[in-house]
């Protein structure tokens, strides 16, 4: 047991978008990934469905960690490593990005003095270490002080807060190596048409109707459907191989998104499994990826969508509202190229202090 694990270590709890996590400076954690992961399991209280002995919120969306440091990359100010900590299972995975926790990374970097605050707003260039993709985040810092309060509402979060604008570049194939890792806009698995796509998050897109549901169910209704869960698992296990992810039984990716025609003025309606638990909304890069999918001709979802005017934001409807995503896509090339994507989130500093990992 290292001494870092027995004495406390600095930790900030933040809500980023519709997720919540523990933010650390990389230098405050053990450098050895195995030692670091053991420590984080104790910090979050994993494995335990209630995470009663740790900071985790007993849900994958509240069992997340951001590890932040100054970047050596010439085009980035900050490096951000995202770690998904299991709830029931003692897992710590770096195989996916998290665009929601990303919303807190810029403010955290300012809070910890890694980046100076601008007089009106601050722009931080962030390298997402999990994939090497770049994100730029911009948030208000009037008078050089972060202002977390504001009028921006994010579906799935009560109240309003200051806008955190996220711009993504190089997310195409971030995890799988290419936007359409199977080489096709559409494949068939278990007799069902799917689109396997990765624009920052590996996602299997399926028409809800093909799985015998409407696609407008509540997350609780979807969670109660054991047959659906089995079919989703079967699809993602096969898709994992096709998407060059290998055996994904214990991995958090690919996610599966069920799509249906929009009902709330957006472009498409979604219900997402992360990877088997229904999401109350949808992940940031998950939404970016699904928006990209439905823009491409021939994909599952393209014909179900009500596409906005070219250049307008794509409204991705989800169980608790809508996430509007801007996608700059060049479909004239083969395969199509995504130049950038952008959206708005909010973040909140919840707590700053010292966490005491349990010692054994
Ligand atoms: O897709 C959930 C979330 C996420 C990840 C998940 C995320 C993203 O809602 O970028 O933000 O898909 O596990 O935070």
């Amino acid at each position: 047991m290292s001494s870092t694990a027995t004495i406390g270590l600095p930790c900030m709890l933040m809500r980023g978008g519709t997720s919540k996590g523990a933010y650390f400076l990389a230098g405050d954690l053990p450098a050895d990934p195995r030692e670091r992961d053991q420590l984080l399991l104790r910090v979050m209280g994993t494995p335990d469905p209630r995470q009663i002995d740790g900071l985790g919120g007993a849900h994958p969306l509240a069992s997340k960690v951001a590890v932040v440091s100054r970047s050596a990359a010439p085009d980035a100010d900050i490096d951000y490593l995202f770690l998904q900590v299991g709830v029931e299972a003692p897992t710590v995975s770096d195989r996916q990005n998290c665009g929601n926790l990303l919303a807190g990374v810029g403010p955290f970097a300012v809070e910890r003095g890694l980046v100076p605050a601008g007089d009106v707003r601050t722009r931080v260039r962030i390298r997402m270490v999990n994939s090497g993709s770049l994100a730029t985040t911009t948030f208000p810092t009037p008078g050089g002080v972060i202002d977390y309060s504001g009028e921006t509402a994010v579906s799935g979060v009560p109240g309003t807060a200051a806008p955190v604008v996220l711009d993504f570049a190089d997310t195409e194939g971030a995890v799988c190596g290419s936007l359409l890792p199977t080489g096709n806009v559409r494949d068939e698995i278990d007799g069902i048409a799917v689109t396997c796509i990765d624009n920052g998050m590996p996602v299997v897109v399926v028409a809800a109707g093909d799985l015998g549901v409407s696609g407008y169910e509540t997350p609780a209704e979807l969670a109660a459907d054991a047959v659906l869960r089995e079919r989703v698992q079967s699809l993602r296990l096969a898709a994992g191989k096709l998407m060059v992810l290998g055996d994904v039984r214990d991995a958090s990716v690919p996610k599966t998104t069920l799509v249906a025609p929009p009902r709330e003025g957006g472009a498409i309606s979604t219900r997402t499994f992360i990877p088997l638990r229904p999401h109350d909304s949808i992940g940031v890069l998950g939404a970016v990826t699904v928006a990209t999918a439905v823009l491409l001709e021939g994909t599952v979802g393209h014909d179900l969508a009500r596409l906005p005017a070219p250049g307008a934001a794509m409204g991705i409807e989800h169980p608790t509202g809508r996430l509007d995503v801007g996608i700059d896509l060049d479909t004239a090339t083969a395969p199509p190229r995504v130049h950038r994507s952008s959206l708005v989130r909010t973040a909140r500093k919840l707590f700053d202090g010292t966490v005491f990992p349990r010692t054994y």
Side-chain angles (χ1 to χ4, degrees):
M1 180 63 51
S2 84
S3 58
T4 6
T6 52
I7 61 174
L9 62 154
C11 171
M12 188 178 285
L13 274 186
M14 297 185 89
R15 173 184 64 76
T18 48
S19 282
K20 188 157 60 177
Y23 289 65
F24 294 94
L25 288 177
D28 289 333
L29 290 171
D32 173 48
R34 280 186 40 175
E35 200 187 328
R36 177 200 67 201
D37 291 354
Q38 288 307 310
L39 179 80
L40 292 176
L41 290 172
R42 290 195 299 274
V43 164
M44 300 310 266
T46 299
D48 171 21
R50 296 174 306 151
Q51 291 184 315
I52 198 70
D53 200 30
L55 297 182
H59 191 287
L61 297 180
S63 184
K64 300 187 163 195
V65 168
V67 183
V68 176
S69 57
R70 277 202 181 87
S71 183
D75 49 358
D77 305 304
I78 291 297
D79 279 356
Y80 153 51
L81 172 69
F82 168 66
L83 296 171
Q84 176 69 58
V85 180
V87 177
E88 283 96 348
T91 53
V92 179
S93 172
D94 63 1
R95 286 184 72 186
Q96 71 164 79
N97 284 312
C98 177
N100 271 310
L101 276 209
L102 173 69
V105 170
F108 177 73
V110 171
E111 295 269 5
R112 288 288 189 258
L114 301 183
V115 176
D119 265 348
V120 178
R121 62 186 64 84
T122 300
R123 186 170 160 268
V124 182
R125 298 166 310 159
I126 299 168
R127 189 171 74 96
M128 297 192 285
V129 176
N130 303 73
S131 62
S133 320
L134 285 175
T136 304
T137 164
T138 312
F139 46 95
T141 49
V145 178
I146 302 171
D147 186 359
Y148 291 97
S149 63
E151 301 305 317
T152 300
V154 164
S155 299
V157 180
T160 62
V164 178
V165 179
L166 302 178
D167 278 290
F168 295 102
D170 301 328
T171 48
E172 213 181 289
V175 181
C176 301
S178 59
L179 182 68
L180 296 165
T182 70
N184 308 315
V185 282
R186 191 182 271 253
D187 294 279
E188 199 175 299
I189 301 175
D190 297 346
I192 292 169
V194 298
T195 288
C196 299
I197 183 163
D198 169 15
N199 189 15
M201 184 66 73
V203 180
V204 184
V205 183
V206 195
D210 284 353
L211 288 179
V213 293
S214 69
Y216 307 113
E217 290 79 3
T218 63
E221 285 165 345
L222 295 175
D225 188 338
V227 174
L228 179 64
R229 185 185 167 94
E230 261 172 47
R231 294 184 79 184
V232 167
Q233 175 70 327
S234 169
L235 282 182
R236 64 178 291 280
L237 288 179
K241 296 204 175 84
L242 295 176
M243 296 172 87
V244 220
L245 293 167
D247 181 359
V248 295
R249 192 170 294 276
D250 295 323
S252 60
V253 287
K255 318 287 179 185
T256 304
T257 297
L258 277 43
V259 289
R263 293 205 305 190
E264 314 287 341
I268 191 86
S269 174
T270 64
R271 294 293 183 268
T272 300
F273 291 81
I274 54 164
L276 293 174
R277 194 157 169 164
H279 202 309
D280 288 322
S281 52
I282 186 169
V284 164
L285 288 157
V288 166
T289 299
V290 171
T292 308
V294 299
L295 280 172
L296 298 177
E297 236 167 273
T299 56
V300 172
H302 183 78
D303 292 340
L304 300 174
R306 194 172 303 135
L307 295 179
M314 301 266 299
I316 306 299
E317 299 177 5
H318 57 69
T320 46
R322 201 169 107 178
L323 205 164
D324 290 335
V325 183
I327 306 270
D328 181 0
L329 181 74
D330 185 356
T331 47
T333 62
R337 289 297 326 263
V338 185
H339 295 305
R340 58 184 276 280
S341 40
S342 59
L343 48 91
V344 179
R345 301 266 86 189
T346 63
R348 180 174 168 199
K349 175 164 110 170
L350 297 168
F351 172 82
D352 192 10
T354 305
V355 65
F356 295 92
R358 181 174 154 201
T359 52
Y360 290 85

